[in-house]
Amino acid sequence: YDDGQGVTQDYKEAAKWYLKAAKQGYAKAQFNLGVKYDDGQGVTQDYKEAAKWYLKAAKQGYAKAQINLGFMFGKGTGVLQDSVVAHMWSNIAGANGSKLGAKNRAKIEKKMTPAQIAEAQKLAKECMKSKYKKCGQ
């Protein structure tokens, strides 16, 4: 339904199916549902709801969700602006192979103090070591 492959494209129907899969813990569906709320496609735009679903996917190691959380915390979209947490999620995404995550981390660092960078790196290590159970949220 999202892409209109074999059916008429219908974002509302796509969001319905993403929600069913997301509730079952499927990270890609959680991410896609976050995108729907982020963009307001098939659902009412709701940045807080987008962040909620991105966080669920990010805590399963889904790098795209980690990148989007980094952007949201960097800008304060749907969450309180927090450069340390933005750096943490971007750093984790980079560690999970995302070039965009690493690039975003470098951008954020330009606006941070050395102490903030050290704190963000510490949080990222704790988060990854705990298998995303202790991620500062």
Side-chain angles (χ1 to χ4, degrees):
Y1 287 101
D2 208 5
D3 296 331
Q5 292 182 323
V7 295
T8 302
Q9 187 177 43
D10 184 338
Y11 293 132
K12 188 174 182 178
E13 190 69 14
K16 179 182 102 175
W17 286 101
Y18 285 141
L19 178 61
K20 287 177 185 277
K23 284 182 175 180
Q24 293 178 44
Y26 185 51
K28 188 171 183 180
Q30 292 168 338
F31 168 76
N32 286 334
L33 187 57
V35 170
K36 292 291 165 224
Y37 279 106
D38 212 349
D39 295 342
Q41 283 186 329
V43 295
T44 302
Q45 189 173 47
D46 185 336
Y47 295 124
K48 286 183 182 181
E49 193 70 11
K52 176 184 106 174
W53 289 108
Y54 288 150
L55 181 61
K56 287 179 183 291
K59 286 189 169 187
Q60 292 187 68
Y62 200 76
K64 288 181 179 180
Q66 294 164 344
I67 292 165
N68 285 14
L69 270 180
F71 282 128
M72 293 185 94
F73 277 101
K75 294 180 180 179
T77 306
V79 295
L80 291 176
Q81 193 282 330
D82 188 328
S83 296
V84 172
V85 177
H87 184 287
M88 178 195 78
W89 282 117
S90 298
N91 193 16
I92 290 169
N96 284 327
S98 170
K99 290 179 184 177
L100 182 56
K103 184 178 177 182
N104 191 43
R105 179 194 66 228
K107 264 189 199 177
I108 295 165
E109 279 184 2
K110 292 178 183 177
K111 301 175 186 176
M112 296 173 70
T113 66
Q116 289 174 314
I117 294 168
E119 177 66 16
Q121 289 171 339
K122 178 183 157 205
L123 290 174
K125 285 178 187 171
E126 288 175 4
C127 180
M128 293 184 78
K129 186 177 179 182
S130 73
K131 297 184 181 177
Y132 306 106
K133 303 288 185 240
K134 299 177 185 175
C135 295
Q137 275 92 40

